[in-house]
Amino acid sequence: MFNFLVPIIILSVLIIVHEFGHFIVARRVGVKVEKFSLGFGPKLFSIKRGDTLYQLCAIPLGGYIKMAGDEYGEYKGAKDEYLAQKPANKAKIIFAGAGLNYLLGFVFFSFALLLGIPDSTTRVGEVVSGYPAFEAGILPKDKIIAVDGKKVEFWIEMVGLIHGKKGAKVNIALSRADKLIELEMPTKLEAIETTGGRHEISLIGIKQGRLKYGLKDAFVVGIKDYLKTTLFYYKTLGLMFSGKISFKRSVAGPIGIYYITTGAATAGLGPLLYVLAILSLSLSVINLLPFPVLDGGHLAFIALEKIRGKALNRNTEELITRVGMSLLITLALFTIYNDMVNFSILDNFLNWIKSFKR
């Protein structure tokens, strides 16, 4: 039950914050908000305060706010309706959801540093005896700056390059007391068990360090590292869309989020807040992509309205939105299927079916 509830609570928090961003700015610029809903489907509970109906629905995988006059079919031209607003006010409302998610991510990130998390940089925390890194002379606190000539900033990208060596030698460039050291060493193939099944990866025998700061440093370092993480996220998106890294291995759907969040929750509050920060950051960045249906798509329409001096043709906008919705649904189905493959759920299900035929 704990494992089931953790992802739902986490997603609910992120969604409430996102929708609250839209809600509070809409109210601030004078737009009437008719409904604030957490979840979809049958209504479980509702209460009305002022002009707004607040409700909790049975399916807790999403949420929304309903503003007065936010659809052409019901727009009457009243000054408290969304479509009656100037482009600047519309943009503020749309941006506020992702903006608040981004700020929340920073708060989670800083508190995670205060409590202690694994070091996401390439600084070595521990060197394991009997492995190539130990034999080659790598020491704790060494900072790896390149793998096979490719610059690395984050632990995840560094180990990704090493894990994929398939037992071949690897060239490591590292910094020690501001001195550059270059080493060549073999890698050791080992089979490991993960939630995605049994995999064979290459290892050199190094482990992550741990970061923990005082109150002041947690926020100072948090600003710098959160911005670096944001840039890394955009860099990864660029590599993914250009085909330079695998799309299948780079995205996670609801099943992937389930495994990630439950794993973080068992590791402690610091790691859990760190995962919350990354999920909140991801939600912010993805939502601002200029894709129809997403907030970034709406901002693109608003920008066109500002440039043209009038809104895009209604039929054209609705057509683009329908196409975008179809693509988004397709992507959602793909991520679910991808999760089932990556986490061996599909194979386990098929094996379970086959067991009835024996």
Side-chain angles (χ1 to χ4, degrees):
M1 179 60 71
F2 173 77
N3 286 350
F4 176 74
L5 288 176
V6 166
I8 291 176
I9 293 170
I10 286 173
L11 288 174
S12 297
V13 168
L14 298 183
I15 290 161
I16 288 172
V17 168
H18 185 89
E19 296 305 324
F20 182 73
H22 294 313
F23 171 81
I24 198 69
V25 174
R27 293 278 296 268
R28 191 173 185 83
V29 300
V31 174
K32 178 181 175 182
V33 180
E34 298 174 343
K35 189 181 295 184
F36 190 128
S37 178
L38 176 61
F40 297 96
K43 182 168 61 178
L44 300 178
F45 170 79
S46 67
I47 185 170
K48 189 162 187 178
R49 289 286 183 269
D51 295 325
T52 307
L53 178 72
Y54 302 88
Q55 65 180 32
L56 175 67
C57 296
I59 305 172
L61 298 176
Y64 64 93
I65 66 166
K66 174 69 179 71
M67 293 178 284
D70 60 1
E71 296 178 7
Y72 287 108
E74 62 181 43
Y75 174 52
K76 299 174 182 176
K79 65 177 183 178
D80 63 353
E81 292 181 303
Y82 172 77
L83 289 174
Q85 303 302 308
K86 296 177 180 178
N89 283 346
K90 291 180 185 177
K92 289 176 185 176
I93 294 169
I94 298 300
F95 179 80
L100 199 55
N101 271 134
Y102 190 79
L103 290 176
L104 178 71
F106 166 69
V107 172
F108 284 146
F109 194 86
S110 296
F111 274 104
L113 292 176
L114 184 65
L115 295 169
I117 60 170
D119 187 354
S120 63
T121 71
T122 57
R123 194 174 301 280
V124 177
E126 182 183 343
V127 183
V128 183
S129 177
Y131 279 80
F134 183 85
E135 303 298 332
I138 291 180
L139 301 175
K141 296 187 179 179
D142 284 348
K143 186 172 184 179
I144 295 175
I145 57 177
V147 176
D148 288 335
K150 296 180 180 178
K151 290 184 178 180
V152 288
E153 290 185 73
F154 293 91
W155 189 269
I156 189 171
E157 57 180 337
M158 177 190 68
V159 297
L161 292 171
I162 296 171
H163 286 177
K165 291 299 292 183
K166 299 180 180 178
K169 289 184 177 181
V170 64
N171 292 298
I172 300 291
L174 59 88
S175 174
R176 180 186 300 164
D178 296 326
K179 182 181 178 182
L180 177 65
I181 300 173
E182 295 188 12
L183 301 168
E184 183 183 69
M185 67 193 73
T187 58
K188 187 175 182 180
L189 274 176
E190 282 191 8
I192 62 168
E193 290 287 348
T194 70
T195 51
R198 191 174 179 82
H199 301 283
E200 201 171 54
I201 61 172
S202 285
L203 302 172
I204 61 171
I206 56 175
K207 293 183 179 180
Q208 276 179 290
R210 185 175 175 82
L211 293 177
K212 189 173 183 179
Y213 296 93
L215 184 60
K216 178 183 176 182
D217 288 341
F219 284 88
V220 173
V221 174
I223 292 172
K224 183 179 72 173
D225 285 1
Y226 193 63
L227 290 174
K228 283 176 65 178
T229 304
T230 304
L231 292 174
F232 175 71
Y233 200 95
Y234 276 109
K235 176 185 172 183
T236 302
L237 281 175
L239 292 172
M240 185 174 66
F241 287 126
S242 66
K244 293 181 179 179
I245 61 174
S246 171
F247 184 78
K248 290 176 67 176
R249 292 185 177 275
S250 302
V251 297
I255 298 170
I257 291 172
Y258 167 81
Y259 281 109
I260 292 167
T261 53
T262 52
T266 57
L269 184 57
L272 178 60
L273 287 175
Y274 178 75
V275 168
L276 267 167
I278 298 304
L279 288 175
S280 196
L281 167 64
S282 301
L283 183 61
S284 175
V285 171
I286 294 296
N287 255 289
L288 290 178
L289 292 177
F291 188 83
V293 181
L294 299 178
D295 289 344
H298 291 298
L299 288 173
F301 286 141
I302 293 168
L304 281 174
E305 179 182 349
K306 182 68 176 178
I307 293 168
R308 298 172 73 242
K310 60 180 181 179
L312 197 64
N313 179 273
R314 175 179 169 181
N315 292 332
T316 302
E317 184 175 334
E318 288 178 350
L319 175 62
I320 294 172
T321 300
R322 283 197 296 270
V323 171
M325 179 63 77
S326 300
L327 291 173
L328 199 61
I329 291 171
T330 302
L331 179 61
L333 293 173
F334 169 78
T335 57
I336 292 171
Y337 171 78
N338 194 47
D339 282 349
M340 293 177 72
V341 172
N342 287 341
F343 293 94
S344 300
I345 293 171
L346 188 59
D347 287 342
N348 292 337
F349 177 73
L350 292 174
N351 290 333
W352 179 72
I353 294 293
K354 289 176 183 177
S355 69
F356 288 94
K357 296 180 182 179
R358 295 170 185 168

